[in-house]
Amino acid sequence: MDDDGTRGVRGSSADRVPGPVLPPPPTTPPRVPAPAAGPRPAATPVEQRPTRPGSASPAEQPVPGAPVDAWLRTPRPPQEPGVWRYGYTPPPPEEPEGVSNRSLLVGALISLLSALLLWSLWRNGYLPYRLVPLKLFTPGEWWNPGTSGGPRTIEGSDALTVYEAILFGLLAYGCGRIGNFSELFRRHVADRGQPFLALAAAAAAGLTQLLVWKEALPVVRPVLVLVASVAGGEIYQSQTVVNVIYAVIAAAVLYPYARLGRWRELIAARRGTAAPAGDGTAATPAAATSADQWPELRTAGWTDAADTLTAEVRTGRMNDVDVARLRHAWALATRRPDRLAPLAEAVLRTGGAAALHPSGHRDLPRRGARHDVLTGQVRIGRCADDPHNPYVRRGTGLALEPALLGTSLLAVGPPGAGKTARLIRPVVEALALRALAGQAAVLAVGGAGAPLGPDDAFDVVVRLGHPGSAHDIDLYGGTTDPDEAAAVLAEGLVGDVGSLDSRRAATVLAQLLGPYRAAHGHFPSVPELRELLDGTPAALAGLRASLEAAGHHGMLRELDARSRQAGGPGDPAPALADRVALLDRPAFTGFFATGPDARPFSLRALGQHPLRVRVDLPERGHAEASRLLTRLLLAQFTAITAARTDTTLFACLVLDDATHAVTAETVRGIRRLRSVNAGAVLALRTVDDVPEPLHTPLLGAVGCTAAFSGITTWDGKRFAEAWGKEWVETREVAQHTVFADQPFTRALHALRKLVTGKAVTTDAVTVRQVERERWSASELAYAVPAGHAVIRLATVEGEHAPPLLVHLDG
């Protein structure tokens, strides 16, 4: 690996990345600790969902001792953007809006009473023409004359018995459907689980058996009649046959209740042969795939290497980062066949420690969020059970990944809303893990003391303004082109000054940087650049003398042009000098070195190596200088990543505080990042921290946005406009007073009004489709609970998810 400019140590040894150090393989499989501060697991629990809409989600407790092979075999089905895919299970079908319990009970009671009344009228002969359908299909000699004449023969009496049983069954079925007894049973019996379900079914079965044998229900006699008509009446001369028939009837009556009460499952659970239903646990599903068998290596013919890695996984000598790193290394090696053999040999020799990160680390010192390194996802929260969220997303985990961060992310929320702890740090942690797997490079920028991760979780830690910092940073981005350096530096210095054209500022800097580099072989340091911008005669005269001695006549013309333009109207040099003076302070003495012995860290290395870099800014004592440096780092990042040719690594810049860092040029640069496999994460306290003309371009440039609880209605209005509108169905109910014409009706209405105190009205319901904002400004300002955020996600391929209310637990 080429290591030029990747470490930036302030000294002569600043040009080397730490060599790989092979740690001993772990002796035990990776464990999953409880959710608390400390090491996080390689294997995480399967995603659980609420069993019913509106019910509380079961606690996501880690699976103790979950090995890497189980984690590797856990399914990760493709889902919509932002869905936590690890162990994802689809939700049950959405249930339509049901009636209230009171209406359900009243309807069932009325249906039952109506059925009893109808059956009583039937049995007592009050219903006319009740025997006409039966007489149409039976011989006439069985019946007495007339439409209401009863049976004349034994055959007619038996036919009437069967006829009444069939009608009773139809009546019972109709009563159950009309009274919605199935929904009543599900709500008040089945949903209560075992053993209540089994006991209730047993009680109902006992009552039914009593009614059957008391002949209150027409079951026994019709069965005996049908058996006699088929097998002959002589069959009843055998008591054994009669007992068998009675046993069959009793079993037939019990069978439906056994199915409803799930007696078989309950007995099996009591005996320990099956897990009790509804226990709220879900073991890691046994995958039908053989992901832990490394099929890609076996397909390529490297069976020995695949066997070695399989043994490493199953014995616990590999963690999730090792798996992701080796999979990525193998994918890269397949593009370069000459690398396959060395990689396979390294696997046979060192096992899971092959293809290590240059730092030699195989994991972070500790994790604070749930990660799935195989997909690059980090779980930041759970979608709330809220009407704004689609049904299929309620209760699902929300995760971020490079496919989403490649569109860049803007997070807005007041101090204390949880932007750093619940969003920024999990993202930095996930990118650091991906860097250890050789798939990403991350630059995290925050104030000194910001909880972006411990020092040993990064390869380079730059503490600007801290005397003990071992690393420095390059103000010029590691370039040797004066014009390129001038353009980026001008954007960082005065890009936020709306009255100043950054192109003119870049021209002024190029007129000084070019001659200085031609004369000295490097760019000027901060004090020297300040003197040149101030037009100090001694500095300009010394530079002119050096150029004349070296014969750089072209650069002399550049310097002469700068001298002629100095002091003119609109000259940006004084503003540039004032901004450079912010860095020319005693606290920054020794920083931003540019001499031949200086080797500061260059952002250009992010596009070449999977580095983990953190920059601490002195926000407390040098707030303006910190903002200037943040703006400069953002400008350098967008310029360098857009110009790189190898886009294999995903490069990401994370700004914990992007106040006054966004300029018109960087907004255009952010829009170009998604095409070069890069992204930026920007956190703001309010959108007003960005110049007003850039509000709309910034929200349009980023694909992912997050509005935290506590934002103002002004910020909410901008998000609501950016997220657009959707078609919704509205119901408008208008109540109209009923005026009666008849005296008796008016008397009834007057009596009802006297009793209830309300006039008799009728409801007029209007249903229509209207276009409304997904989230209004007032809802974003006042309806987002603490610890929540409304997040809208989009992928680099163009897929997007609607704004979702998320409970952040990252």
Side-chain angles (χ1 to χ4, degrees), residues 5-48:
T6 59
R7 289 299 293 172
V9 179
R10 298 175 62 198
S12 59
S13 61
D15 57 338
R16 295 193 302 274
V17 176
V21 179
L22 301 181
T27 57
T28 58
R31 301 288 178 174
V32 182
R40 296 295 295 178
T44 49
V46 176
E47 180 71 14
Q48 301 291 324

Side-chain angles (χ1 to χ4, degrees), residues 187-213:
R187 284 193 192 182
H188 300 283
V189 180
D191 284 355
R192 299 183 66 173
Q194 299 287 15
F196 181 83
L197 175 61
L199 293 176
L207 178 61
T208 305
Q209 290 280 8
L210 178 63
L211 296 177
V212 166
W213 297 114

Side-chain angles (χ1 to χ4, degrees), residues 637-657:
F637 180 83
T638 55
I640 291 172
T641 53
R644 63 177 181 160
T645 56
D646 184 7
T647 58
T648 304
L649 284 176
F650 175 73
C652 189
L653 169 67
V654 181
L655 298 182
D656 185 47
D657 184 4

Side-chain angles (χ1 to χ4, degrees), residues 317-397:
R317 293 195 297 267
M318 288 180 64
N319 60 16
D320 54 350
V321 179
D322 294 332
V323 173
R325 186 186 69 251
L326 289 174
R327 280 176 172 262
H328 178 68
W330 184 262
L332 293 180
T334 54
R335 305 175 189 174
R336 300 277 300 273
D338 57 313
R339 296 184 179 180
L340 289 175
L343 178 60
E345 293 175 1
V347 168
L348 292 174
R349 186 174 61 255
T350 60
L356 270 182
H357 185 265
S359 65
H361 296 163
R362 299 172 64 174
D363 201 352
L364 297 179
R366 56 180 176 271
R367 303 187 190 183
R370 293 180 58 193
H371 300 273
D372 185 19
V373 187
L374 203 61
T375 59
Q377 288 190 316
V378 54
R379 189 183 184 281
I380 62 171
R382 178 185 292 277
C383 296
D385 186 9
D386 186 87
H388 286 92
N389 293 343
Y391 171 78
V392 294
R393 298 302 297 268
R394 298 175 191 173
T396 62

Side-chain angles (χ1 to χ4, degrees), residues 532-556:
L532 292 175
L533 289 171
D534 282 333
T536 304
L540 294 176
L543 179 57
R544 182 181 299 275
S546 300
L547 292 173
E548 290 175 349
H552 295 292
H553 301 290
M555 293 300 172
L556 281 172

Side-chain angles (χ1 to χ4, degrees), residues 738-800:
V738 178
F739 298 97
D741 297 331
Q742 300 300 324
F744 180 73
T745 307
R746 285 199 298 268
L748 290 179
H749 288 186
L751 178 62
R752 179 176 176 180
K753 184 176 181 180
L754 180 64
V755 173
T756 62
K758 297 180 181 180
V760 179
T761 60
T762 181
D763 294 341
V765 181
T766 303
V767 180
R768 59 178 180 175
Q769 295 282 337
V770 298
E771 194 176 21
R772 287 184 178 176
E773 294 175 332
R774 300 179 185 272
W775 282 83
S776 67
S778 298
E779 288 174 329
L780 289 173
Y782 302 111
V784 179
H788 291 66
V790 181
I791 301 177
R792 187 255 186 188
L793 301 174
T795 66
V796 292
E797 290 83 9
E799 298 181 64
H800 60 86

Side-chain angles (χ1 to χ4, degrees), residues 210-225:
L210 178 63
L211 296 177
V212 166
W213 297 114
K214 290 291 185 180
E215 296 191 1
L217 300 179
V219 175
V220 177
R221 288 180 58 82
V223 171
L224 296 177
V225 169

